[in-house]
Amino acid sequence: MAIENRGSGQFDYTPEVAAATAPIYEKLKDVVPEIEWPVHAPLIDAINRLKAQKDAIILAHNYQTPEIFHGVADLSGDSLALAKQAAETEAQMIVLCGVHFMAETAKLLNPEKTVLIPDLEAGCSLADSITAEDVRLLKERYPGVPVVTYINTTAAVKAETDICCTSANAVEVVESLGVDRVIFLPDEYLGKHVASKTNVEVILWKGHCEVHERFTGAELKAFRAHHAGIQVLAHPECPPDVLAEADFVGSTSGMIRWVGRERPNRVVMVTECSMSDNVSVEYPDVEFIRPCNLCPHMKQITLSNILWALENDQYRVEIDPQVAERARRSVERMIEVGRGKNS
Ligand code: 13P
Ligand code: SF4
């Protein structure tokens, strides 16, 4: 079968490609329909060959689709893990399969390396919710109050920031400052969650994740009513009424570790769609109830544009050096806080 795609033209599902990708499909057979495999397999095979030739490494966020996450990613994880892996890699080229702020963070930590993102449209509603000028105005309004910024922001916003955090370390970062008040940007719900876990006063912004803000507490109550014994895991970008219903609140990797540790009979991950597919592959004994709120930005990344990115060294992530220097400091300070600990 010949496949049209955005890479260099046509790819055949030959017996050689079928054999080379068979172990991957064996893993994915419960989450990728058999009819789709002849489309994915030639692209997976081509990407895996090309990245080896080019000394490239593929970093994938937990929300990438299973054929990317299990088919071509060398390393995967939540935003904190991706930042740490980007800081440590020896590869000369990084292809970031995730959204733009993740690729920018990888570039901040690797100014000399080539960092590619396969689609420039892969944005984030939180990153779009605040500008560097907004942060400067807040600092004027609250002089001397440190600014803690979620990693889901642009480099220009990070440059105005004292320290970054992710959903995995937000409480730890806020407490590391040893102050009684911080400005926490831009995720209102994550900020409220942090405020509920610490005595530090948290000044909030009204940014929201367009995926997580759609979940409701009533929806979670309905999961409990319809699925006996279900364990409810939620991402802290969800609204407070959702988090109040959850058995566990944590980053995407925090949720994955929780499932690995607790091995519940039934679980629902209140977060983006692809997470459950990716995790269920590792834990076939766990029943995943799968509500589907999809992140349209994460879904801009496809096998086809990953191949195109590798073939054309595009799209290169570049950051103004003066902005980058200040933004880098806020990310490095965050990594320093967690040094030696498991995220
Ligand atoms: P994590 O850092 O928990 O993976 O979250 C990133 C994100 O964008 C969640 O929507
Ligand atoms: Fe941004 Fe939400 Fe998508 Fe995560 S899920 S990238 S926070 S829009």
Side-chain angles (χ1 to χ4, degrees):
M1 186 191 298
I3 310 297
E4 286 292 338
N5 71 83
R6 195 176 162 195
S8 60
Q10 291 205 322
F11 286 85
D12 293 333
Y13 187 52
T14 60
E16 292 75 26
V17 169
T21 58
I24 303 171
Y25 190 65
E26 182 52 30
K27 219 173 165 185
L28 294 182
K29 61 182 187 309
D30 292 333
V31 290
V32 176
E34 201 175 348
I35 195 166
E36 287 183 14
W37 196 242
V39 178
H40 297 318
L43 294 169
I44 289 172
D45 188 52
I47 290 166
N48 286 337
R49 284 166 199 269
L50 194 52
K51 75 179 184 195
Q53 276 169 29
K54 299 191 84 155
D55 188 22
I57 191 165
I58 297 185
L59 299 188
H61 185 260
N62 291 326
Y63 294 162
Q64 291 296 292
T65 51
E67 67 277 5
I68 295 174
F69 190 86
H70 291 286
V72 299
D74 298 290
L75 296 166
S76 58
D78 62 7
S79 308
L80 183 58
L82 295 180
K84 286 181 176 172
Q85 288 160 357
E88 286 162 13
T89 184
E90 305 263 297
Q92 279 316 301
M93 182 181 276
I94 298 172
V95 183
L96 200 302
C97 297
V99 291
H100 196 263
F101 75 80
M102 296 174 178
E104 264 192 349
T105 306
K107 182 66 181 177
L108 286 175
L109 296 170
N110 292 280
E112 308 304 329
K113 293 183 182 167
T114 302
V115 176
L116 305 179
I117 182 155
D119 193 315
L120 289 171
E121 297 295 308
C124 170
S125 67
L126 279 167
D128 287 345
S129 74
I130 192 159
T131 64
E133 180 59 15
D134 293 329
V135 187
R136 286 193 285 271
L137 290 171
L138 278 164
K139 289 198 289 192
E140 272 175 33
R141 184 158 168 204
Y142 299 101
V145 180
V147 180
V148 179
T149 294
Y150 195 25
I151 201 159
N152 295 38
T153 44
T154 60
V157 165
K158 289 184 176 79
E160 298 296 333
T161 294
D162 293 288
I163 187 165
C164 281
C165 72
T166 73
S167 59
N169 62 14
V171 176
E172 191 184 358
V173 165
V174 165
E175 294 197 330
S176 75
L177 298 174
V179 296
D180 49 22
R181 196 150 80 129
V182 299
I183 300 170
F184 188 95
L185 307 172
D187 187 344
E188 182 187 14
Y189 299 147
L190 175 62
K192 283 189 172 171
H193 177 65
V194 170
S196 76
K197 300 275 170 203
T198 164
N199 291 326
V200 179
E201 186 193 339
V202 178
I203 298 164
L204 297 167
W205 188 253
K206 283 214 175 289
H208 297 145
C209 162
E210 67 186 79
V211 178
H212 291 91
E213 73 175 349
R214 299 212 304 268
F215 291 106
T216 64
E219 204 177 346
L220 269 61
K221 283 194 173 86
F223 291 135
R224 286 203 197 280
H226 292 107
H227 304 282
I230 196 166
Q231 295 294 301
V232 178
L233 317 186
H235 195 276
E237 290 171 8
C238 294
D241 66 323
V242 171
L243 300 187
E245 284 296 323
D247 297 302
F248 173 80
V249 175
S251 76
T252 54
S253 291
M255 287 189 246
I256 296 172
R257 281 193 295 272
W258 191 96
V259 171
R261 204 171 52 236
E262 305 291 331
R263 296 295 177 101
N265 292 329
R266 254 180 191 174
V267 71
V268 57
M269 292 180 152
V270 184
T271 189
E272 209 267 348
C273 301
S274 293
M275 269 276 290
S276 297
D277 288 344
N278 290 333
V279 187
S280 67
V281 165
E282 307 291 353
Y283 302 108
D285 50 323
V286 177
E287 182 190 358
F288 288 80
I289 306 302
R290 304 175 200 214
C292 194
N293 281 358
L294 189 139
C295 175
H297 311 290
M298 287 279 177
K299 267 49 203 186
Q300 295 293 328
I301 309 298
T302 62
L303 287 173
S304 170
N305 60 26
I306 295 169
L307 180 59
W308 177 86
L310 276 167
E311 286 176 337
N312 295 286
D313 292 355
Q314 294 272 15
Y315 293 98
R316 284 171 181 257
V317 178
E318 303 293 353
I319 306 167
D320 177 309
Q322 283 179 354
V323 170
E325 197 186 317
R326 294 162 63 218
R328 184 177 309 118
R329 279 203 294 268
S330 68
V331 178
E332 286 175 345
R333 275 189 205 118
M334 170 190 81
I335 292 177
E336 209 47 54
V337 166
R339 191 79 67 202
K341 292 188 189 156
N342 185 6
S343 68

